[in-house]
Amino acid sequence: RHKATTLHLTFAREGRGELRFGASGYLDHIPAEAGVPAREGEIRERIGGAHLYARNDLGELLVEGFLVRHDDGVSGRTFRHRAGFAVATLGSQRLKPYLAWDRLDAEPSDPFYDPEDVVDRPAGVIGLRFDVHPFELVRAEYRHETFTGGKSDGFTAQVAYGF
């Protein structure tokens, strides 16, 4: 019955380097979920975002930020969340070290999310990426997260293919 709507606008300049920036908007009506007590009614979702991408011979930078708003149809409450991500990749060759940061700052009582999953989770990442060819990469990264009640450290290795 309800369809999600999104609008994405990007401005770009290309030359010796590349610069892209813009904004996005997303509107949705999330239906009630039977059997889940906190999800007895519809949630109206609005997400606004902004992004910046820059690339030159030194490397690449991508920064994204989002504001999420959920209006709960049952309680009448409004929940606001912030999310952000940034990654800086050094070099323009096949082997690229990178640093990344991401954060989710969410209200834990939002009925859309499982209360166990919604915690503020700032994270820092350091990694190394190897572009095998334009459609395949191998990467390894170390991730450090902090959250209410603790912290988490992990190492990930990944092979990714594109078709």
Side-chain angles (χ1 to χ4, degrees), residues 26-115:
Y26 178 83
L27 302 172
D28 197 4
H29 291 270
I30 302 164
E33 191 171 328
V36 179
R39 293 286 309 281
E40 297 161 346
E42 183 178 88
I43 297 172
R44 182 175 177 199
E45 181 177 59
R46 290 179 262 178
I47 302 173
H51 60 275
L52 168 73
Y53 172 77
R55 179 183 52 82
N56 64 21
D57 292 340
L58 297 175
E60 297 174 85
L61 174 67
L62 172 64
V63 180
E64 296 180 317
F66 299 94
L67 297 173
V68 179
R69 178 180 167 147
H70 287 158
D71 296 316
D72 182 16
V74 173
S75 70
R77 292 184 60 195
T78 297
F79 302 91
R80 291 179 174 84
H81 315 292
R82 292 184 308 273
F85 176 79
V87 61
T89 303
L90 303 175
S92 59
Q93 302 302 318
R94 294 173 62 189
L95 188 62
K96 301 174 184 172
Y98 63 91
L99 296 171
W101 170 87
D102 71 66
R103 180 177 180 108
L104 170 63
D105 182 10
E107 291 187 49
S109 55
D110 185 336
F112 180 73
Y113 297 109
D114 181 338

Side-chain angles (χ1 to χ4, degrees), residues 95-98 126-130 137-142 156:
L95 188 62
K96 301 174 184 172
Y98 63 91
I126 184 168
L128 186 62
R129 170 182 165 164
F130 177 66
L137 69 87
V138 177
R139 72 178 185 181
E141 65 182 34
Y142 166 76
T156 303

Side-chain angles (χ1 to χ4, degrees), residues 110-157:
D110 185 336
F112 180 73
Y113 297 109
D114 181 338
E116 297 294 320
D117 292 337
V118 179
V119 291
D120 296 341
R121 296 185 89 99
V125 177
I126 184 168
L128 186 62
R129 170 182 165 164
F130 177 66
D131 294 336
V132 178
H133 60 74
F135 300 107
E136 179 183 5
L137 69 87
V138 177
R139 72 178 185 181
E141 65 182 34
Y142 166 76
R143 180 181 185 92
H144 175 77
E145 287 183 286
T146 57
F147 50 89
T148 306
K151 65 179 181 175
S152 171
D153 294 287
F155 178 79
T156 303

